Amino acid sequence: MKAAATVCVAEYTNGILDPKRPMLGPVKDGGYIVANTAPGCWGPMITPALRGGHEVTKPVFVEGAEVGDAIVVRIKSVEITSKAAASGVDFAHPDRYEGDPFVASKCESCGQRWPESEIQGVGPDAIRCQNCGSPVSTFNFAHGYTMVFDDGKRVGITVPAAKAEAIAADGHNFMHIPANSIQHPSVTLAPADLTGVAARLRPFLGQLGTMPGVKCPDSHNAGDFGSFLIDAPHPYALTPEQLLLRTDGHMDINWVRPGSIVICPVKAVGGGIYVGDAHAMQGGGEIAGHTVDVAATVILQVSVIKGLGNEGPILLPLLEDLPILARPLTVAEQRVVAREVDKWGVKEPEQSLPLSFVGTGENLNLAIDNALERAAGLLEMDVNEVKNRSTITGSIEIGRAPGVVTATFLVPVDILARLGLLEIVQEQYGC
């Protein structure tokens, strides 16, 4: 099939990423993907027929992408289409799943696995099993809220119970659930434990990545959630070796927003770019476990780097999002450096630019190790050198607890040139 300059996507997975399934596209190397994304987390979490905790777009085949390559994804825009959403701290009903509440739902009354469900009314028991009529949502709110957005999508404010219930009664409209999505609107549960809390919107993508090299629930395509799959008692169990084939598309890093660049590893032929789980805003760490999940219209531009061989995502955040020590030196700072170089007999000051390596693991310590090892392997540096550079010219930042981090630091330009990354980094930071 001839590759298209633009591929429009309005189809979704059932929560499972599978490299053996056909992809959409292909899209040209240098082409665009326009996607209408469904909300992540809470909608799928209360829809037990979904098997992955999210409902991401069907992956798109990118022309020329082969295993061992990388796909550069430039995020052109993320436009929130929802008018309201609900979120909060979760708890899972222990009798409504087998081993993993995100992956293996069941009805505690009739025992049906991944039961079809329907909405009856509003509130915590509104999601009912179509087979027996019992409450069937695997999750509910330990402490939750319903938030509405202004027309300009600049701010959100949490509403009282009566308004939350009114929104719940028209949930598909308020959340702008896409036509092909099967999830129930998160607002159906009408949580209202916070009222009158205002927050600015800063939309970003919780899910953006490439097809893993092994069949995997979408929300578990990362080292922290993925660890739940090891020897799990359901059909999506993985071995530790299979988990290494993940591509960490589920990052929940709030730097992944319009203007940033994500360099994704290719572990299946065609790459398989998918997107979803857009968030209205999120503080670092996503410490409540969830943030405000919204529907969105997303535009991405994709291009292939041959043979880069990165094991996980590499980020080029906006300049303002970079840790202060990882920002390129200003002209004034470079003048000071030049004077000190002469004074102390340094042959030549290093020229360097920032890269941010994503690491994931069962906990934050393992995620940090993963990020440092990925950086060291790609850059052909000793891990101890990466540790020093991250300490004096960068930072370790928490994307998501329990185990997604970024290791960001200044990388010598000769190494960037050798890897074929120099022009991309210079483009991003105007250097």
Side-chain angles (χ1 to χ4, degrees), residues 72 74 261 263 303-305 316 353 355 420-430:
V72 178
R74 293 171 170 85
I261 297 173
I263 304 174
S303 57
V304 177
I305 300 179
L316 299 179
L353 290 169
L355 280 185
L421 295 177
L422 182 57
E423 287 187 10
I424 298 169
V425 180
Q426 288 176 326
E427 165 203 328
Q428 180 71 342
Y429 299 116

Side-chain angles (χ1 to χ4, degrees), residues 281-300:
M281 82 292 284
Q282 178 196 296
E286 197 182 19
I287 207 65
H290 307 283
T291 185
V292 182
D293 311 302
V294 292
T297 299
V298 177
I299 301 177
L300 311 172

Side-chain angles (χ1 to χ4, degrees), residues 94-182:
D95 296 325
R96 298 182 187 176
Y97 65 93
E98 294 178 346
D100 188 328
F102 295 95
V103 172
S105 297
K106 69 174 184 178
C107 177
E108 63 181 313
S109 296
C110 68
Q112 186 169 335
R113 301 177 79 184
W114 300 291
E116 296 295 329
S117 55
E118 60 189 11
I119 298 172
Q120 296 181 15
V122 303
D125 293 331
I127 311 301
R128 299 278 176 158
C129 176
Q130 285 188 4
N131 185 53
C132 70
S134 298
V136 76
S137 174
T138 312
F139 288 91
N140 234 304
F141 288 105
H143 188 277
Y145 52 88
T146 300
M147 176 176 282
V148 296
F149 313 125
D150 75 292
D151 291 341
K153 301 298 192 295
R154 294 162 295 187
V155 298
I157 188 165
T158 58
V159 300
K163 294 297 184 182
E165 291 172 4
I167 290 168
D170 192 18
H172 279 83
N173 176 44
F174 271 96
M175 291 206 67
H176 207 269
I177 302 295
N180 293 325
S181 167
I182 68 169

Side-chain angles (χ1 to χ4, degrees), residues 131-376:
N131 185 53
C132 70
S134 298
V136 76
S137 174
T138 312
F139 288 91
N140 234 304
F141 288 105
H143 188 277
Y145 52 88
T146 300
M147 176 176 282
V148 296
F149 313 125
D150 75 292
D151 291 341
K153 301 298 192 295
R154 294 162 295 187
V155 298
I157 188 165
T158 58
V159 300
K163 294 297 184 182
E165 291 172 4
I167 290 168
D170 192 18
H172 279 83
N173 176 44
F174 271 96
M175 291 206 67
H176 207 269
I177 302 295
N180 293 325
S181 167
I182 68 169
Q183 69 178 261
H184 300 308
S186 63
V187 294
T188 301
L189 305 188
D193 295 311
L194 286 178
T195 299
V197 176
R200 67 173 54 89
L201 304 191
R202 193 170 181 265
F204 73 100
L205 298 170
Q207 284 262 22
L208 176 62
T210 43
M211 179 76 77
V214 65
K215 183 165 68 174
C216 177
D218 50 14
S219 63
H220 289 36
N221 184 21
D224 51 355
F225 279 82
S227 67
F228 303 158
L229 300 175
I230 295 175
D231 299 326
H234 55 68
Y236 303 108
L238 297 179
T239 65
E241 292 74 24
Q242 288 175 316
L243 187 57
L244 295 176
L245 297 174
R246 70 187 189 270
T247 57
D248 287 346
H250 184 201
M251 293 181 283
D252 282 335
I253 295 170
N254 60 17
W255 294 347
V256 183
R257 64 190 186 103
S260 68
I261 297 173
V262 184
I263 304 174
C264 303
V266 176
K267 299 190 180 183
V269 175
I273 294 292
Y274 68 90
V275 62
D277 192 29
H279 298 321
M281 82 292 284
Q282 178 196 296
E286 197 182 19
I287 207 65
H290 307 283
T291 185
V292 182
D293 311 302
V294 292
T297 299
V298 177
I299 301 177
L300 311 172
Q301 186 182 25
V302 296
S303 57
V304 177
I305 300 179
K306 301 301 294 183
L308 182 63
N310 50 317
E311 281 297 313
I314 300 170
L315 304 185
L316 299 179
L318 294 174
L319 181 64
E320 65 195 73
D321 289 345
L322 283 169
I324 186 66
L325 297 181
R327 297 176 189 178
L329 294 179
T330 65
V331 172
E333 289 169 328
Q334 290 174 354
R335 291 195 190 103
V336 176
V337 168
R339 291 198 298 270
E340 294 302 306
V341 163
D342 292 340
K343 183 187 301 183
W344 295 102
V346 176
K347 183 178 291 186
E348 187 175 347
E350 179 181 278
Q351 301 299 309
S352 53
L353 290 169
L355 280 185
S356 185
F357 292 84
V358 175
T360 71
E362 188 174 356
N363 56 53
L364 290 172
N365 285 335
L366 292 175
I368 292 169
D369 290 343
N370 182 237
L372 297 174
E373 289 164 3
R374 284 175 168 176

